[in-house]
Amino acid sequence: MKADPAAPSLWARRLGFGGLIPFVGLAATLWLAPPGTWPLAGPALVGYGATICSFLGAIHWGLVMRDAQPAPVASLSWGVLPSLVSWVALLLAPALGLVLIAALLWACYAVDRVRYARLQLQAWLPLRLQLTLVASVSCLAGAAALA
């Protein structure tokens, strides 16, 4: 069976799942480590989530850049929105910031489901769903530990 050329490569999958290590590790730290570590682990988890959300938005700029057509304003606008919302999450208390990041991860996935299908990139969606699920659950677990 020939692999789908539009599907994520083995390296993309490995790196994607490797990118979950800080989510899971920091959430576990908030549950298992002494409360003295929370002032570091909580903001670190929010910061990492904000970084990933910014990356997910930036993908849309990359998709626009690869097309020779005029840039759709909606795609460019969406591309910066996750960065702006992530910045707000960084300004909030860590527990609230983590809830916002979890919601933003799902918003990014919802937009990607529509956009990727239009660009014949839907083969990436199963991976995106798995990554979004683990990342958002980690954020919500971290928020619960801090509450």
Side-chain angles (χ1 to χ4, degrees):
M1 177 185 229
K2 189 174 181 182
D4 180 355
S9 68
L10 178 60
W11 273 106
R13 289 192 307 274
R14 285 177 178 167
L15 291 169
F17 287 119
L20 292 175
I21 294 170
F23 280 113
V24 173
L26 289 166
T29 297
L30 289 169
W31 276 98
L32 302 173
T37 63
W38 294 358
L40 291 174
L45 183 53
V46 176
Y48 185 68
T51 301
I52 294 302
C53 289
S54 294
F55 170 79
L56 293 172
I59 289 171
H60 291 267
W61 272 58
L63 292 171
V64 166
M65 290 170 61
R66 77 177 191 163
D67 293 336
Q69 303 171 21
V73 174
S75 292
L76 292 173
S77 299
W78 170 255
V80 298
L81 189 63
S83 295
L84 295 172
V85 174
S86 293
W87 174 67
V88 171
L90 290 168
L91 299 174
L92 300 173
L96 188 55
L98 287 169
V99 172
L100 181 56
I101 292 294
L104 182 57
L105 286 165
W106 282 106
C108 289
Y109 177 75
V111 169
D112 290 352
R113 278 183 49 105
V114 173
R115 181 89 167 119
Y116 286 16
R118 288 184 189 149
L119 298 170
Q120 277 82 54
L121 296 171
Q122 60 269 30
W124 284 81
L125 291 173
L127 175 63
R128 283 280 289 111
L129 177 60
Q130 293 168 341
L131 298 176
T132 298
L133 181 62
V134 174
S136 63
V137 167
S138 296
C139 288
L140 293 175
L146 292 169

